[in-house]
């Protein structure tokens, strides 16, 4: 992406795609100015006057990026400030607003659109055909192609989570020598996936079932499940805990589903898993998973050990309240 707009609104409730859209803007700014400072904020914590302060011209003329995630949680005063700013943005600042869509925070969406902000809409694939298209696009991003049957086999093996699918495509593209990825390559890396998935391991760890989680990790690795997919599932499960656990207590049913961006059936499962978890424990577990992610992607020498250590930490963090 060249020359990012002064203000960009990213709309969509698919977290992975929204994060990628935001990340591409930040990367574009840093490609032009490697020293650009990035301020990554949560909408619920942004105070009146904070944007104005961060966007004030630097004495040294340095560029900056201000990212506000969860923009639906901004207060009315901050929304008014942002809408006013969007009409006359600072020259050396790029503002990125991530909003999941929906009614909450609609005044912000309407206001910055009217002020001329760029709008990036991320649509969540809901049909199998759209997920297959996503797989093909991910493989193309890596400079490869994938046979239709192989794409279907990968979807069947990994499931519909976009982070896991993207990680799987990246892993296949990195490890497969052939230009075109075929069914044999998918089978090589993901055989046994139907029996043991990263989601199964994540659920066991989050529920404190240490022995079962470790047993499933060893089996998954022995049958060809890529470590990066297990890490992705662990991170996704913990993020779900954080979202549901941190949601306003007065939200119910469809309102809660819209707020956290999850289907009701998943919210019910996460609520059951929240027993024994507190904010400090979730934070510690997420930090452990972030470290493990780096190790399985080349920062460490033993992915299996890193995964087992992460699971021990997750289970131990469960009682931290």
């Amino acid at each position: 992406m060249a020359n990012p707009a002064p203000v960009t609104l990213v709309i969509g409730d698919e977290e992975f795609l929204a994060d990628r859209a935001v990340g591409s803007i930040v990367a574009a700014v840093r490609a032009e100015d490697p020293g650009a400072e990035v301020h990554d904020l949560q909408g619920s914590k942004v105070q009146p006057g904070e944007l104005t302060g961060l966007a004030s011209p630097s004495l040294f003329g340095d560029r900056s990026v201000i990212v506000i995630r969860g923009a639906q949680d901004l207060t009315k005063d901050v929304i008014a400030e942002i809408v006013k700013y969007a009409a006359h943005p600072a020259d050396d600042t790029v503002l990125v607003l991530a909003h999941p869509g929906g009614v909450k925070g609609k005044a912000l969406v309407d206001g910055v659109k009217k002020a001329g902000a760029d709008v990036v809409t991320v649509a969540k694939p809901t049909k199998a055909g759209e997920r297959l298209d996503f797989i093909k696009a991910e493989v193309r991003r890596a400079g490869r192609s994938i046979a239709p049957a192989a794409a279907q086999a990968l979807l069947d093996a990994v499931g519909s989570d976009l982070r896991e699918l993207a990680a799987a495509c990246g892993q296949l593209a990195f490890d497969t020598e052939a230009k075109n990825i075929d069914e044999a390559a998918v089978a090589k890396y993901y055989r046994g996936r139907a029996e043991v998935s990263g989601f199964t391991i994540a659920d066991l760890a989050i529920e404190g079932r240490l022995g079962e989680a470790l047993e499933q990790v060893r089996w998954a690795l022995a049958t060809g499940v890529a470590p990066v997919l297990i890490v992705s599932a662990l991170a996704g499960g913990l993020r779900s805990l954080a979202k549901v656990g941190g949601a306003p207590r007065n939200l119910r049913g469809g309102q809660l589903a819209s707020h956290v961006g999850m289907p009701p059936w998943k919210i019910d499962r996460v609520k059951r898993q929240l027993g024994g978890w507190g904010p400090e424990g979730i934070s510690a577990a997420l930090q452990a998973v972030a470290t493990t992610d780096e190790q399985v992607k080349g920062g460490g020498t033993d992915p299996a050990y890193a995964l087992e250590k992460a699971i021990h930490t997750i289970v131990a963090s469960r009682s931290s309240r």
Side-chain angles (χ1 to χ4, degrees):
M1 177 185 292
N3 300 319
V7 181
T8 300
L9 174 66
V10 177
I11 300 179
D13 62 357
E14 170 47 61
E15 184 180 330
F16 172 72
L17 295 178
D19 285 349
R20 174 176 281 181
V22 171
S24 68
I25 296 171
V26 173
V29 174
R30 283 191 158 163
E32 296 177 357
D33 183 358
E37 187 173 5
V38 179
H39 306 278
D40 204 320
L41 312 174
Q42 285 295 327
S44 60
K45 297 181 180 179
V46 178
Q47 300 297 315
E50 189 170 358
L51 170 65
T52 302
L54 291 175
S56 297
S58 164
L59 292 175
F60 304 101
D62 296 330
R63 295 193 74 187
S64 65
V65 185
I66 303 172
V67 177
I68 301 179
R69 304 177 192 272
Q72 75 279 6
D73 295 326
L74 292 164
T75 64
K76 290 183 179 179
D77 289 344
V78 175
I79 287 175
E81 179 184 351
I82 290 175
V83 170
K84 182 178 179 181
Y85 171 87
H88 303 284
D91 292 336
D92 295 326
T93 299
V94 170
L95 173 63
V96 187
L97 305 162
H99 190 288
V103 175
K104 188 177 182 183
K106 192 171 184 297
L108 172 77
V109 173
D110 294 342
V112 297
K113 281 183 177 179
K114 187 175 181 180
D118 268 16
V119 178
V120 176
T121 301
V122 292
K124 183 176 183 177
T126 57
K127 300 177 181 178
E130 292 171 344
R131 296 188 189 101
L132 288 172
D133 289 341
F134 174 81
I135 290 171
K136 295 171 185 175
E138 284 298 300
V139 173
R140 282 197 300 271
R141 282 168 63 93
R144 303 293 185 87
S145 61
I146 186 167
Q152 184 64 59
L154 186 61
L155 181 60
D156 292 342
V158 175
S160 60
D161 183 85
L162 296 192
R163 285 187 190 276
E164 286 220 349
L165 284 172
C169 291
Q171 185 80 20
L172 283 168
F174 180 79
D175 289 337
T176 305
E177 294 183 2
K179 178 73 174 178
N180 187 57
I181 298 170
D182 58 17
E183 283 184 273
V186 174
K188 176 182 176 182
Y189 287 94
Y190 300 100
R191 65 185 185 277
R193 176 67 176 175
E195 290 75 25
V196 182
S197 74
F199 295 116
T200 301
I201 295 166
D203 286 342
L204 291 170
I206 287 169
E207 291 164 11
R209 296 154 67 180
L210 177 61
E212 293 175 76
L214 292 175
E215 180 182 354
Q216 292 302 309
V217 163
R218 291 161 190 161
W219 172 250
L221 295 176
T223 55
V225 179
V228 69
L229 298 181
I230 300 174
V231 174
S232 177
L234 290 170
L238 290 166
R239 282 195 299 268
S240 294
L241 286 182
K243 285 182 178 180
V244 175
R249 300 298 180 189
N250 62 330
L251 295 182
R252 296 288 186 275
Q255 286 185 321
L256 178 57
S258 176
H259 180 80
V260 300
M262 294 181 201
W265 66 264
K266 186 173 183 180
I267 291 174
D268 291 340
R269 188 185 70 191
V270 173
K271 281 183 175 179
R272 290 193 296 270
Q273 293 177 330
L274 269 170
W277 282 100
E280 292 183 3
I282 294 173
S283 177
L286 280 169
Q287 289 175 14
V289 171
T291 299
T292 306
D293 183 63
E294 179 182 355
Q295 291 174 335
V296 302
K297 290 179 178 176
T301 57
D302 190 343
Y305 172 77
L307 279 168
E308 291 192 12
K309 183 178 179 181
I311 288 171
H312 274 282
T313 303
I314 290 170
V315 173
S317 299
R318 187 169 178 263
S319 59
S320 300
R321 302 184 70 83

